[in-house]
Amino acid sequence: CYKKAIAIQPSNFHSYNGIGISFYRIRDFYNAEKYFKISISHNNNFAKAYCNLSHVYLMKKNFTKAYEFKEWRFKTSNKEVLNLKPEWKGQENSNILVLQEQGLGDHIRFCSIINELAKNSKQVILECDKRLIPLFQRSFDPNVVFFKNVKKIPQNIKYEYQIYMGSLLSFFRKDVKNFQKTSKGFLKADKNKTIMFSQRLFENDKKIIGISWATNSKDEVASY
């Protein structure tokens, strides 16, 4: 169907992007990359194709290109992008505001980097979903301050730079080895609740299986 659309309108960049997504879903990353690039050649401001291309590069472990193209994510929606301070570019010994983005699972994934960021910073001011604050307070460096809404940061909190949490990957996850730093876990459970739930769940000596996944993302490859 996409090819028929292209035959009618050869410059239809949406159709090339659609073919790219189809190849991505069957894990044909060579052709996925090819068609995303063709889409971009017909419209070099088509943000969705750049973001989809970033997924291909992630699968090919080309992290540098993946993170570069993923920065186009801010142009795929009408969501306001806050530019309160200059973007953090790796400056050490500074106060940094880290802004939240995407969903709850993404907060957890991106924030695996926070302790590494805190080691080289004066203070990290982290905006995150309020449901995660108790968990993050147990798990992260004492040098991290938490807020559930960036617009309500007290005036006495000073910071020089800001960065969206997804953009931290380009500084701390440059190759596969970097992911090993937190591959064994970085979150700390509530000890009392752990004991309570263990007693409740295992008292009958039955197998326990837990599955939880959901997304509100409109990204066409979000479920892959």
Side-chain angles (χ1 to χ4, degrees):
C1 292
Y2 285 126
K3 288 182 178 179
K4 287 181 179 179
I6 290 169
I8 297 170
Q9 188 180 9
S11 61
N12 189 327
F13 55 91
H14 289 286
S15 294
Y16 291 109
N17 183 59
I19 294 176
I21 292 170
S22 299
F23 277 117
Y24 182 89
R25 287 177 173 171
I26 61 171
R27 302 181 69 80
D28 183 342
F29 302 127
Y30 174 82
N31 278 306
E33 179 180 356
K34 172 184 172 182
Y35 280 97
F36 290 143
K37 285 182 175 179
I38 294 174
S39 176
I40 292 168
S41 73
H42 287 286
N43 183 350
N44 60 10
N45 288 312
F46 187 32
K48 286 186 177 180
Y50 284 105
C51 287
N52 290 335
L53 188 56
S54 76
H55 291 294
V56 173
Y57 286 130
L58 278 176
M59 298 303 293
K60 295 173 75 171
K61 297 182 176 62
N62 187 335
F63 297 111
T64 300
K65 282 190 175 181
Y67 300 147
E68 175 188 346
F69 289 126
K70 195 61 177 176
E71 290 300 302
W72 282 82
R73 68 191 183 277
F74 299 112
K75 297 183 179 181
T76 59
S77 69
N78 295 322
K79 184 179 178 181
E80 179 186 5
V81 177
L82 297 176
N83 293 302
L84 305 173
K85 294 282 186 176
E87 185 178 3
W88 185 71
K89 297 291 186 179
Q91 296 89 340
E92 295 186 358
N93 201 32
S94 56
N95 297 314
I96 307 163
L97 171 64
V98 179
L99 296 163
Q100 67 179 2
E101 58 175 308
Q102 303 181 45
L104 200 69
D106 298 293
H107 289 196
I108 295 172
R109 180 164 59 94
F110 295 144
C111 286
S112 64
I113 295 169
I114 293 298
N115 278 332
E116 294 165 61
L117 177 65
K119 287 180 180 179
N120 297 317
S121 307
K122 283 184 181 179
Q123 188 172 62
V124 174
I125 305 161
L126 177 63
E127 181 197 18
C128 65
D129 189 291
K130 63 181 180 181
R131 293 169 290 179
L132 292 174
I133 292 177
L135 174 62
F136 283 176
Q137 285 177 327
R138 291 194 300 268
S139 306
F140 293 159
D141 191 289
N143 203 29
V144 180
V145 178
F146 302 91
F147 291 93
K148 61 183 180 181
N149 189 325
V150 69
K151 295 179 181 178
K152 294 182 180 179
I153 292 180
Q155 292 184 352
N156 63 319
I157 298 293
K158 304 298 181 182
Y159 58 97
E160 296 88 42
Y161 304 99
Q162 70 171 58
I163 188 170
Y164 277 87
M165 55 176 60
S167 297
L168 289 170
L169 291 166
S170 62
F171 296 95
F172 295 95
R173 297 293 181 266
K174 295 180 180 181
D175 55 48
V176 173
K177 290 183 179 180
N178 292 152
F179 287 89
Q180 296 175 0
K181 295 178 180 179
T182 52
S183 62
K184 294 183 179 180
F186 63 96
L187 299 174
K188 297 179 181 179
D190 182 309
K191 293 183 179 179
N192 293 328
K193 288 185 177 180
T194 298
I195 294 171
M196 179 190 72
F197 284 117
S198 295
Q199 292 173 343
R200 287 172 55 185
L201 291 171
F202 295 100
E203 60 184 7
N204 294 320
D205 196 29
K206 293 182 178 180
K207 290 183 179 180
I208 306 299
I209 302 173
I211 301 174
S212 177
W213 184 87
T215 181
N216 292 320
S217 174
K218 295 181 181 180
D219 188 335
E220 292 172 283
V221 293
S223 60
Y224 293 85

